[in-house]
Amino acid sequence: MLIQLIDIEKYYQTGAGKTFVLRNINLEIDQGEFVSIMGPSGAGKSTLLHILGVLDDPSGGSYLLDGHEVSSLSDKHRGELRREMIGFIFQAYHLIDELTVYENIETPLLYRKVKSAERRGMVSDILDRFQIVGKKDLFPAQLSGGQQQVVGVARALISSPRLLLADEPTGNLSSKEGETIMGLFKELHEAGTTIVQATHSEANAAWADRVINLQDGWIT
Amino acid sequence: MLRNYLISTLRRLRRAKGFTAINIIGLSVGLTGAVLVLLLVQYELGFDQHNDKLDSLHIVINRVARPGGSDRHSPNVPMPLAPELLSQSPQIVRSARLAIGEMIVHGDEGSFEEGVIFSEPDLFNMFSFEVISGDPAAALSRPDGLVITREAALKHFGTVDLIGQPVALTNPAGRNEFQVLAVVESPPVQSTFQFRMVLPLQTHFAFARRELNWNSSNSFLLVETAGAVGKYDLDETFQAIVQKNKPDRAHVDAQGQQPTDRPYWNFYLLPFEDLHLSAQVGIGVDPRVLAILAAIAGLLLTIAIFNFVLLALGRLKSRFVEVGIRRMIGASRGNLTAMFLAEVLVTTLFALGLSFIILEFSLPAFNRLLGRELALGAMVDVGFWAAVVLLISLLVLAAGIFPALRLASMRPVQAMHGIDSASRKKGALRVGVIFQFSLAIFILVTALVFNSQMKFVLEQPLGFNQSQIVVYKIATEGEKISAWSQRLKEVLLRDRGVRSVTKTSVSVSRGFDRQGWYDRSKKFWRAVVRDVDESYLTTMEISLLMGRDFREQDDAEVVLVNQTFVDQFGLENPIGYLLDGFSYGAGTDPTIIGVVDDYNFSSLYSKVQPMMLRKRPAGLYSYLLARIAPDDVNGTLQRLADSWKNAAPGIPLTYNFLDEDIENLYVVEKKIRAVTQGAAILALALAAMGLLGMATIEVSRRTKEIGIRKVLGASVPDIMSLLSRRMVLSNLLANIIAWPIGWMVMQKWLGLFAYRIDLGLGTFVMAGLLALAIAVITVSTQAVRAATANPVDSLRYE
Ligand SMILES: Nc1ncnc2c1ncn2[C@@H]1O[C@H](COP(=O)(O)OP(=O)(O)OP(=O)(O)O)[C@@H](O)[C@H]1O
Ligand SMILES: [Mg+2]
């Protein structure tokens, strides 16, 4: 089992008291599974993904990633997990504006201290694979939304993560572009990558093995 | 990794051109100042380093005890100390006494006055000076030997090939023949000793009087020790020598009081290396001046750093998403800190480059101002670079660490959503702005006070009319001076451009001649004594308060005194008072015939002291003061020079204006004033640039709010006041910090002057208002832009 969430809850301290975003989440995801999280806006999908991606801490409960309790990890170990194990894709792409396509994709490798020659090979491979070699020297602002998301996916995959987390990866894309991304996920899934995606779209959710419904912070 | 940081940094800097310019210009101005101070310090530290034996060279200093505990450290010691020290202390292996004087050189090119040093053979065995020909030590061991520098040789004889050349020199004691026995290179610029000629000590006109005299401290004593000898190692030897030779030294100060229970004289060995930067001895450079310059550079740097930090914090929000992304894809806190510091480093390096360019162009001007020979090329060595690297590292840390840590400590998710976890940020920003304002106000206060005090000093009524007075100085030998000065007076008086002429022993600002004596009742008197003639008061336009002026037939038996003299010694009936004891029995004691109004005869740092004007038929009247008509001054001067040449061929005559002399008393102040004024303008410009940046950030952050308010009917002035309100408030708060500090610092500085302005509230209000005006103007430029923009445009921004 890759992921085990036990009684996870998340709340924010607001003026009136606690505002719960996630309640009583118990969830297990096996190695190699492809899971979709569905729910209306504000249901807590992004929050859950952030917790899964070790970007945010739950307010209560326990999260075991690959058998290790995450809450007890130091900042350094979390960084290591993010670098070595997890890839993240955002609805808003979130590329770094000052870096070219090539440099954006290369950045995670820099943080992993991959040697320059090896880095060049890896980036070229992935540019080839996504057919964006011709765009490698452009800046994010010079790309369409779909192209930016392709770069975002390429960046998430460059380190060959075991766990791929995608927060509405197709939210801003045309249905055709969305289709392409989903096809890609399928391939990755077949190759053994564990994938968790959050989505509004029934059609996209259907690509997964399993669909989890989230409503007001509860799994239903 | 580094490449990645570098690339994104360069691109970001290019995108935010305005902010980048503010940062780079600010830092480069600060760095220019800092590098300049660095060069200057390095230059001053390099003094006297050309001496091979520097480690074992010392100068004997006399720490003279004064009441109130502030000892005077004087390099002037009695001549007989040297042989005593040599015989008493085995640690002293060589010594050379040194005195300074003037001589008239009768060379091939005419007769010129020349500053000369008088010393002993071992001077050249102890100190390293480059010899061109001859043997300088041997030259000084002969009574008629002369050592001349290349520069002086070329000036007087047009050649350095001079060994054996006879030279006639004249000093107050008469004319003598010398022989050039050594030609040396001129001392390096960084040598404490600057000379053009060196003569044997015994040819100094006062040598015979001083050689065995323990009461006259008029020469330097330089010694070479065997190995390392500490400053106070010879304490006992010195004490014994003083006990033996000077047990009865008068322990009194100007007020006639016994100073302390400590010994009056305390000799010690100051390593020669430390002489140049010794503030106590005061021969070289006062380290406090360096400290002032360093403080100014530091102030400029501080403002630049503040700008940097404030602008970085203000724009931090635009970095949140990037930081979040980088965290997400695995960046550690260290990575992010390093990234931001690298950005600061790049900016700083640009600034450093720019500052070197500025320096290259401004060094000549600085050198003129500071009287130094700083150069980027020659002085840039490993030590310099090490200091620069250190400076840059400190700068990067100071400017970068706060924003860097703020960025790195962002939690990834919050960063991505642009949520600022630390709500204290706004507080830090506001405190920063207030601080920046305080600095600006403080600088303004300093500059304003400096300015008015210097104006006050320079325009202070001196008690005499200083304008249109030419100071003539005759340089000739002793007994002939009185004849020649009388002759010159006649020549001057014959000219139609000259109104009146007086002879005096000492010009207003030059020279200082104090005498002390005991009267019959053992009361101690001390006064500045000056020889003048019967035209002095009329020429100088000094008013006579009581009694009568000198008459032509008066002699040294009658004197004039000033009001302070009367007050200080409590003379109820000054006219006719006999100053008994003044002549120590060697003549008739003088009687007071008149009292003159106080006038300033030295710098305004000191109060007017008791003074006595004396008229002596055979006095050493080296100066003539001539009041000339204001029209055709140059013509008059030229005519006078010609008539003198005809009347006294071969007697050199120099002249200058008295008001120049008086202004020269304040050369250092004028330089400091120029530097502070320049620095103040720069500092304000930098602060204004920072504020402009802040205003831009503020306006862009509130673009949407401004648009909504305008849609709801706010007028342009409404918007302006909305945006300026916080700036105005910060400015007012800043005064609370800046005023007391400015008050204390300036009060302290003004305390150095005997004649000073009072610190009024006006200066502070003025500084506050000026800073406020700058703030309002900068904010307004931005606010106007926002307020007059089409509201729909500003709403669309978000
Ligand atoms: N910092 C915060 N403080 C208070 N409440 C927050 C904070 N961040 C998120 N929330 C709340 O958490 C809830 C869940 O947000 P989340 O982004 O996880 O929803 P979502 O399911 O991803 O919605 P969407 O489909 O619109 O992206 C929302 O109601 C939101 O208001
Ligand atoms: Mg979401």
Side-chain angles (χ1 to χ4, degrees):
Chain A
M1 200 176 311
L2 184 65
I3 290 172
Q4 190 174 14
L5 299 178
I6 305 160
D7 288 336
I8 288 289
E9 51 180 26
K10 175 79 181 176
Y11 53 79
Y12 290 100
Q13 207 71 48
T14 49
K18 294 172 181 174
T19 308
F20 278 88
V21 179
L22 294 175
R23 290 170 197 267
N24 221 348
I25 303 288
N26 286 287
L27 180 62
E28 291 178 358
I29 296 173
D30 275 330
Q31 178 74 50
E33 255 194 295
F34 184 176
V35 176
S36 285
I37 301 174
M38 275 206 66
S41 196
K45 305 184 292 293
S46 297
T47 308
L48 183 57
L49 279 186
H50 290 149
I51 291 174
L52 290 177
V54 208
L55 296 169
D56 204 357
D57 280 324
S59 314
S62 154
Y63 171 22
L64 300 178
L65 178 58
D66 210 11
H68 300 290
E69 174 59 56
V70 171
S71 64
S72 61
L73 292 179
S74 66
D75 188 70
K76 206 173 132 209
H77 278 108
R78 287 159 189 252
E80 209 172 285
L81 276 181
R82 293 198 285 264
R83 273 197 298 275
E84 308 294 339
M85 188 172 170
I86 303 170
F88 215 108
I89 301 168
F90 307 91
Q91 176 177 1
Y93 329 129
H94 283 335
L95 301 178
I96 297 173
D97 292 337
E98 280 82 16
L99 299 181
T100 61
V101 166
Y102 184 99
E103 290 157 358
N104 261 292
I105 297 175
E106 183 191 30
T107 306
L109 299 180
L110 294 173
Y111 290 129
R112 286 177 59 193
K113 299 195 170 61
V114 177
K115 291 266 177 319
S116 128
E118 199 182 334
R119 222 161 53 212
R120 220 168 301 137
M122 289 166 79
V123 179
S124 310
D125 284 351
I126 211 137
L127 286 171
D128 269 346
R129 187 165 146 204
F130 290 105
Q131 292 160 16
I132 44 176
V133 180
K135 306 265 184 278
K136 73 177 172 49
D137 292 324
L138 296 183
F139 288 93
Q142 299 168 306
L143 299 177
S144 76
Q147 289 164 335
Q148 288 190 51
Q149 190 58 295
V150 170
V151 177
V153 174
R155 184 179 63 187
L157 296 181
I158 185 84
S159 309
S160 314
R162 279 169 64 195
L163 174 62
L164 181 65
L165 300 168
D167 192 356
E168 294 180 40
T170 62
N172 287 337
L173 304 186
S174 71
S175 55
K176 189 168 159 280
E177 285 170 328
E179 215 54 7
T180 321
I181 301 283
M182 283 303 119
L184 204 68
F185 281 12
K186 189 88 202 155
E187 271 173 48
L188 288 168
H189 171 51
E190 277 157 11
T193 307
T194 311
I195 302 175
V196 182
Q197 71 163 345
T199 179
H200 287 286
S201 140
E202 296 274 357
N204 284 343
W207 287 78
D209 303 336
R210 177 150 71 109
V211 177
I212 293 164
N213 274 302
L214 204 60
Q215 201 93 45
D216 288 337
W218 301 86
I219 291 182
T220 56
Chain B
M1 185 64 92
L2 202 65
R3 209 183 72 93
N4 186 280
Y5 288 164
L6 218 65
I7 287 171
S8 57
T9 298
L10 289 178
R11 288 179 190 147
R12 189 170 302 113
L13 291 182
R14 204 168 47 204
R15 217 169 52 173
K17 283 194 189 69
F19 294 111
T20 307
I22 292 176
N23 282 332
I24 290 184
I25 292 173
L27 289 174
S28 65
V29 168
L31 277 173
T32 304
V35 172
L36 192 69
V37 171
L38 212 63
L39 286 175
L40 193 61
V41 167
Q42 199 180 17
Y43 184 87
E44 305 300 351
L45 287 177
F47 255 73
D48 297 318
Q49 296 294 330
H50 65 279
N51 292 302
D52 299 331
K53 290 184 177 174
L54 192 57
D55 289 344
S56 51
L57 297 178
H58 303 258
I59 181 167
V60 177
I61 301 290
N62 189 2
R63 183 159 57 87
V64 182
R66 288 194 297 193
S70 70
D71 295 353
R72 189 163 55 90
H73 294 251
S74 169
N76 290 306
V77 299
M79 278 197 186
L81 178 60
E84 279 276 359
L85 189 58
L86 269 179
S87 67
Q88 302 284 316
S89 169
Q91 281 148 296
I92 306 289
V93 289
R94 279 189 192 86
S95 80
R97 290 169 289 185
L98 188 147
I100 294 166
E102 286 162 350
M103 285 279 201
I104 300 162
V105 182
H106 307 284
D108 292 354
E109 319 282 327
S111 299
F112 296 95
E113 196 180 32
E114 192 77 89
V116 198
I117 67 177
F118 299 86
S119 192
E120 297 178 286
D122 272 339
L123 180 75
F124 286 96
N125 294 327
M126 291 156 61
F127 292 85
S128 314
F129 294 108
E130 222 175 298
V131 179
I132 299 173
S133 56
D135 179 350
L140 293 186
S141 50
R142 291 192 24 182
D144 65 342
L146 166 63
V147 180
I148 191 168
T149 62
R150 175 194 290 277
E151 208 181 318
L154 291 175
K155 174 180 166 195
H156 296 290
F157 301 97
T159 172
V160 293
D161 203 11
L162 280 178
I163 300 297
Q165 166 85 30
V167 181
L169 298 176
T170 307
N171 71 2
R175 185 178 169 123
N176 281 300
E177 289 293 325
F178 290 85
Q179 211 184 354
V180 176
L181 291 178
V183 182
V184 297
E185 290 292 353
S186 302
V189 198
Q190 284 159 285
S191 166
T192 294
F193 293 131
Q194 292 298 328
F195 57 82
R196 292 157 64 87
M197 287 187 181
V198 188
L199 295 176
L201 186 66
Q202 65 268 30
T203 64
H204 188 272
F205 76 99
F207 181 75
R209 250 192 295 143
R210 293 177 184 164
E211 187 185 8
L212 301 172
N213 187 353
W214 285 89
N215 288 315
S216 168
S217 291
N218 278 304
S219 63
F220 295 170
L221 174 52
L222 305 154
V223 297
E224 180 184 334
T225 55
V229 175
K231 236 180 175 177
Y232 302 108
D233 283 3
L234 298 186
D235 213 21
E236 278 172 27
T237 315
F238 278 127
Q239 291 292 353
I241 293 175
V242 173
Q243 259 323 304
K244 185 174 133 202
N245 297 290
K246 285 275 322 161
D248 59 341
R249 167 81 198 182
H251 296 195
V252 284
D253 72 313
Q255 275 71 45
Q257 286 160 350
Q258 295 278 337
T260 57
D261 50 358
R262 285 176 301 144
Y264 183 68
W265 278 8
N266 303 273
F267 293 104
Y268 65 91
L269 294 182
L270 181 71
F272 193 75
E273 193 173 15
D274 299 344
L275 180 61
H276 181 67
L277 280 170
S278 161
Q280 293 170 325
V281 179
I283 283 187
V285 147
D286 191 337
R288 283 170 297 192
V289 172
L290 294 182
I292 290 180
L293 291 175
I296 289 174
L299 215 57
L300 289 175
L301 262 186
T302 308
I303 291 180
I305 290 172
F306 259 98
N307 278 351
F308 196 103
V309 174
L310 290 179
L311 294 183
L313 287 181
R315 292 181 303 148
L316 214 49
K317 207 160 178 183
S318 67
R319 307 295 301 276
F320 284 176
V321 174
E322 181 202 344
V323 167
I325 299 167
R326 289 196 186 263
R327 292 282 270 165
M328 193 92 51
I329 56 184
S332 64
R333 283 184 189 167
N335 287 140
L336 290 176
T337 312
M339 178 182 77
F340 193 77
L341 289 183
E343 284 185 35
V344 185
L345 180 64
V346 170
T347 313
T348 310
L349 289 180
F350 272 119
L352 184 68
L354 184 57
S355 74
F356 274 113
I357 296 173
I358 300 176
L359 268 180
E360 193 61 49
F361 287 103
S362 57
L363 262 183
F366 280 121
N367 280 336
R368 239 174 297 129
L369 186 70
L370 301 167
R372 290 289 181 252
E373 291 183 8
L374 307 180
L376 270 180
M379 296 179 61
V380 172
D381 57 7
V382 180
F384 173 83
W385 282 120
V388 167
V389 167
L390 188 71
L391 180 69
I392 294 292
S393 318
L394 287 176
L395 194 57
V396 166
L397 279 184
I401 201 71
F402 192 44
L405 290 181
R406 281 290 321 286
L407 275 181
S409 65
M410 292 292 302
R411 311 203 24 182
V413 174
Q414 290 169 328
M416 306 240 31
H417 289 159
I419 296 167
D420 195 345
S421 55
S423 51
R424 278 171 293 123
K425 181 201 95 174
K426 293 237 170 55
L429 255 184
R430 291 187 65 177
V431 169
V433 172
I434 292 174
F435 223 86
Q436 185 79 310
F437 267 125
S438 316
L439 270 177
I441 295 170
F442 173 76
I443 291 164
L444 270 171
V445 166
T446 337
L448 287 174
V449 172
F450 236 96
N451 220 9
S452 25
Q453 169 67 15
M454 289 325 297
K455 215 165 124 134
F456 177 79
V457 164
L458 293 175
E459 289 170 5
Q460 179 71 206
L462 296 171
F464 58 90
N465 182 357
Q466 64 183 88
S467 56
Q468 303 300 331
I469 289 202
V470 184
V471 182
Y472 282 96
K473 179 163 193 277
I474 318 178
T476 184
E477 53 233 76
E479 62 270 25
K480 292 186 188 160
I481 281 188
S482 48
W484 280 118
S485 58
Q486 187 53 37
R487 177 110 185 82
L488 176 59
K489 185 169 177 177
E490 285 155 16
V491 168
L492 292 175
L493 277 174
R494 264 205 307 273
D495 194 280
R496 62 188 144 86
V498 176
R499 298 257 167 93
S500 63
V501 179
T502 179
K503 298 179 291 182
T504 172
S505 57
V506 182
S507 167
V508 167
S509 61
R510 286 187 271 178
F512 199 71
D513 200 354
R514 220 161 56 164
Q515 290 191 21
W517 68 96
Y518 291 93
D519 67 8
R520 261 191 311 262
S521 59
K522 290 284 163 228
K523 178 179 167 189
F524 184 73
W525 300 64
R526 176 173 280 179
V528 172
V529 179
R530 210 156 267 192
D531 291 348
V532 299
D533 68 3
E534 66 281 356
S535 325
Y536 189 70
L537 295 190
T538 43
T539 305
M540 297 292 286
E541 297 178 15
I542 295 167
S543 40
L544 185 71
L545 299 178
M546 230 186 278
R548 65 165 178 91
D549 195 355
F550 288 126
R551 296 191 189 116
E552 201 174 337
Q553 64 272 23
D554 283 337
D555 58 15
E557 287 176 15
V558 293
V559 294
L560 298 170
V561 296
N562 66 358
Q563 184 63 43
T564 302
F565 188 101
V566 174
D567 295 344
Q568 190 157 323
F569 299 115
L571 302 181
E572 282 174 11
N573 275 317
I575 308 298
Y577 190 92
L578 179 72
L579 296 166
D580 63 296
F582 178 80
S583 311
Y584 284 93
T588 323
D589 289 328
T591 304
I592 299 175
I593 54 162
V595 178
V596 300
D597 202 0
D598 281 338
Y599 69 95
N600 266 293
F601 45 86
S602 61
S603 135
L604 290 171
Y605 275 108
S606 44
K607 282 248 185 272
V608 172
Q609 296 184 10
M611 175 157 86
M612 183 194 291
L613 296 173
R614 192 168 50 161
K615 180 169 181 289
R616 285 196 301 178
L620 291 178
Y621 293 112
S622 305
Y623 295 92
L624 273 92
L625 306 176
R627 182 175 297 282
I628 59 172
D631 43 311
D632 193 24
V633 171
N634 286 333
T636 306
L637 290 177
Q638 188 54 52
R639 258 195 334 270
L640 290 174
D642 291 343
S643 353
W644 180 249
K645 219 172 260 166
N646 291 333
I651 306 289
L653 184 68
T654 56
Y655 66 86
N656 61 286
F657 284 94
L658 182 59
D659 42 14
E660 293 169 357
D661 258 17
I662 291 171
E663 291 211 0
N664 281 340
L665 288 175
Y666 306 104
V667 171
V668 175
E669 281 75 13
K670 286 191 161 176
K671 285 178 175 176
I672 291 181
R673 186 186 180 191
V675 170
T676 45
Q677 274 175 352
I681 292 170
L682 276 179
L684 288 181
L686 293 189
M689 277 174 9
L691 289 174
L692 185 68
M694 292 303 294
T696 315
I697 292 168
E698 172 92 357
V699 167
S700 74
R701 201 161 47 197
R702 299 174 74 172
T703 303
K704 186 175 174 187
E705 178 195 342
I706 293 166
I708 295 172
R709 283 180 190 272
K710 286 191 73 178
V711 170
L712 296 178
S715 66
V716 173
D718 287 339
I719 304 289
M720 299 267 296
S721 83
L722 175 79
L723 286 170
S724 323
R725 199 177 300 149
R726 186 171 296 165
M727 280 290 184
V728 172
L729 196 70
S730 307
N731 186 292
L732 293 181
L733 286 175
N735 286 308
I736 298 176
I737 303 177
W739 288 13
I741 298 176
W743 179 278
M744 282 187 311
V745 173
M746 285 296 96
Q747 201 70 16
K748 200 155 174 127
W749 179 70
L750 286 173
L752 296 174
F753 288 86
Y755 298 88
R756 43 161 290 192
I757 54 168
D758 286 325
L759 270 186
L761 199 62
T763 312
F764 292 86
V765 172
M766 173 107 118
L769 284 179
L770 261 172
L772 187 63
I774 290 170
V776 168
I777 290 168
T778 46
V779 174
S780 301
T781 55
Q782 292 304 302
V784 164
R785 237 182 47 192
T788 55
N790 187 338
V792 180
D793 288 345
S794 55
L795 283 179
R796 225 182 269 139
Y797 253 104
E798 286 280 296

